[in-house]
Amino acid sequence: MGTKAAPGQRDDRLGWLRGSPPPRWVRLLPPVLLVGVCVGELVSSEPLDIGFLLGAIPSLAVLSYGPLATAGFGVVVVVLLNIPALGLNHPGNADLLTISFIAVLSVFVALVRSRRDAHLVTVRSVAEAAQLAVLPPLPDRVGSVRCIGLYQPAQQETLVGGDFFDVRDGPFGVRALMGDVQGHGLSAVGTVASLLGAFRETVLDQRDLEDAAARLDRRLVVDSASVDHAELFATALLLEFAPGSGTVRLVSCGHPAPLLLRGTKAVELDTEPGSPLGLGFFELSPPKGRTVELEPGDRLFVASDGVSESRDAGGAFYPLPDRLAVFAGESSDVLIDRVWEDLVRFSASINDDVSILVLSPQVREDRDGGDRRGDGDGPDGRGAGAGGEAGPDAGSGG
């Protein structure tokens, strides 16, 4: 499992004329044209006078070959023009000189292109390493929770955008975070890095999940204070699976509600929406958590608003709970692919970052008729009914 790329590579969508590597047929053009011209002249009973086509071969070679191969094509073309039996140079030396010039120029262009490509590969490798340091791939399992995520930035040719998620194990259990920074693309990466760093610290030293959310809010408020006219904010959803509890604790900071997958049902879990991070409202209105009891086989589906707010041609939002119920019987890795493919078919243009996280906690069977949470308390030390948090049926239907 871990973090998956969305099915279909971004390079394919860009097309080879916009920077992607050329397809195989482009590499075949020079040799095919070379052989075609020679065969055409040899099998024709009348002179075809198509030798001028050989002038295009070095130029075509530039698109997909290096300088040495391009020079090789140029030499072959000049040699063929000087073979009397082929009769490719009927007009005279002018064509030969022109094609020779084009061949030399093509070698120079191929040399410049190859060096530029090598430089771009180095820059891209460094950029990918930096982005992966900010948002590293998820492991297959974190503590007692199996996890898989899908991340598709809106800005092409980037690995990190305005969405972020992470799953970490700590002394208070396994904690997960899904968030969405204002804006998307490379401009949001710094804020994403700051929030993820703060979250990883709270996993180690913040016992209460609400306090962890407050730490993230304070981090963003402090970052905004040093920027003139800053309007930094982010939505976030924090989840906590306390050791041996059989429950999940949820704290929402303006983020879309998670969905509980139980069998073939998808139930949206109502969470009291708190203030988004970075607006400075936590002291006035701190977020309130909710604890949900889990059963063996339950999974939690968490997504950014890039999923739920995608629209079709008629302006209708993507019906995530309904569509998720159709795919709920699939394994987690297949489920994520199904949702992404269905989302792409539903919305002709997805202009926001899309991130999906599926969490599968290991919940023990209650064989003794007792509370499977072990001590009868929720992950925050309160009873299971704290805040009226009983089970998923309190949420709105999916």
Side-chain angles (χ1 to χ4, degrees):
M1 291 189 178
T3 307
K4 304 180 67 173
Q9 298 297 318
R10 291 189 296 275
D11 284 347
D12 295 338
R13 295 207 315 265
L14 280 175
W16 67 278
L17 292 176
R18 297 177 59 191
S20 297
R24 182 175 300 177
W25 64 266
V26 175
R27 293 182 61 85
L28 293 176
L29 277 179
V32 168
L33 183 58
L34 188 67
V35 173
V37 170
C38 295
V39 171
E41 285 285 1
L42 289 175
V43 301
S44 176
S45 58
E46 298 291 337
L48 296 179
D49 194 19
I50 57 174
F52 70 92
L53 293 176
L54 295 180
I57 292 177
S59 301
L60 291 173
V62 171
L63 295 175
S64 51
Y65 291 92
L68 291 179
T70 302
F73 279 113
V75 170
V76 171
V77 167
V78 173
V79 170
L80 291 175
L81 287 172
N82 285 278
I83 298 177
L86 292 176
L88 295 173
N89 193 28
H90 288 299
N93 293 330
D95 279 358
L96 178 60
L97 292 175
T98 301
I99 292 177
S100 298
F101 174 77
I102 293 174
V104 173
L105 183 62
S106 297
V107 172
F108 174 75
V109 174
L111 178 62
V112 173
R113 183 190 61 81
S114 62
R115 291 185 175 180
R116 183 206 60 186
D117 288 350
H119 175 69
L120 290 178
V121 168
T122 302
V123 172
R124 183 186 178 98
S125 298
V126 173
E128 288 183 353
Q131 293 179 76
L132 288 175
V134 173
L135 191 66
L138 289 176
D140 294 346
R141 178 185 293 273
V142 178
S144 61
V145 179
R146 293 182 65 83
C147 47
I148 180 170
L150 178 142
Y151 197 98
Q152 180 67 21
Q155 185 171 333
Q156 295 173 342
E157 297 302 305
T158 62
L159 300 179
V160 180
D163 286 1
F164 57 95
F165 56 71
D166 199 4
V167 183
R168 297 278 167 159
D169 195 7
F172 312 112
V174 175
R175 286 182 179 174
L177 170 69
M178 168 74 77
D180 184 0
V181 172
Q182 172 207 21
H184 54 259
L186 294 176
S187 61
V189 173
T191 304
V192 168
S194 180
L195 288 174
L196 285 174
F199 167 73
R200 291 160 187 165
E201 290 296 324
T202 66
V203 170
L204 300 176
D205 56 27
Q206 289 292 333
R207 178 179 297 274
D208 190 77
L209 197 60
E210 287 84 344
D211 290 342
R215 173 80 70 85
L216 299 182
D217 175 71
R218 186 164 63 252
R219 175 72 272 164
L220 204 51
V221 169
V222 171
D223 290 347
S224 299
S226 60
V227 180
D228 293 336
H229 309 295
E231 295 180 356
L232 291 178
F233 68 90
T235 64
L237 178 69
L238 291 88
L239 305 91
E240 179 183 78
F241 304 89
S245 66
T247 63
V248 60
R249 182 81 175 164
L250 308 169
V251 173
S252 175
C253 303
H255 198 78
L259 290 100
L260 176 68
L261 305 181
R262 178 168 293 171
T264 58
K265 295 182 179 180
V267 180
E268 187 174 288
L269 298 176
D270 284 338
T271 55
E272 184 170 340
S275 169
L277 305 174
L279 298 181
F281 294 154
F282 269 50
E283 293 184 1
L284 300 176
S285 179
K288 296 180 181 179
R290 176 192 176 188
T291 301
V292 175
E293 295 185 11
L294 301 175
E295 297 180 0
D298 283 354
R299 292 177 292 174
L300 289 162
F301 183 97
V302 187
S304 65
D305 59 8
V307 177
S308 57
E309 295 184 2
S310 291
R311 299 172 182 261
D312 63 8
F317 288 112
Y318 180 68
L320 178 60
D322 295 338
R323 302 304 298 156
L324 198 56
V326 176
F327 309 126
E330 304 283 0
S331 61
S332 295
D333 56 341
V334 175
L335 170 70
I336 274 190
D337 289 344
R338 293 281 189 272
V339 172
W340 170 252
E341 292 165 0
D342 188 57
L343 182 65
V344 171
R345 285 192 297 267
F346 177 86
S347 179
S349 177
I350 300 176
N351 299 317
D352 198 2
D353 300 320
V354 170
S355 55
I356 299 173
L357 189 60
V358 178
L359 304 171
S360 307
Q362 183 180 359
V363 180
R364 296 191 304 270
E365 294 278 0
D366 186 5
R367 302 180 186 273
D368 303 327
D371 192 333
R372 64 176 177 274
R373 290 170 297 167
D375 57 3
D377 290 333
D380 58 352
R382 292 174 290 182
E389 301 130 336
D393 293 337
S396 60

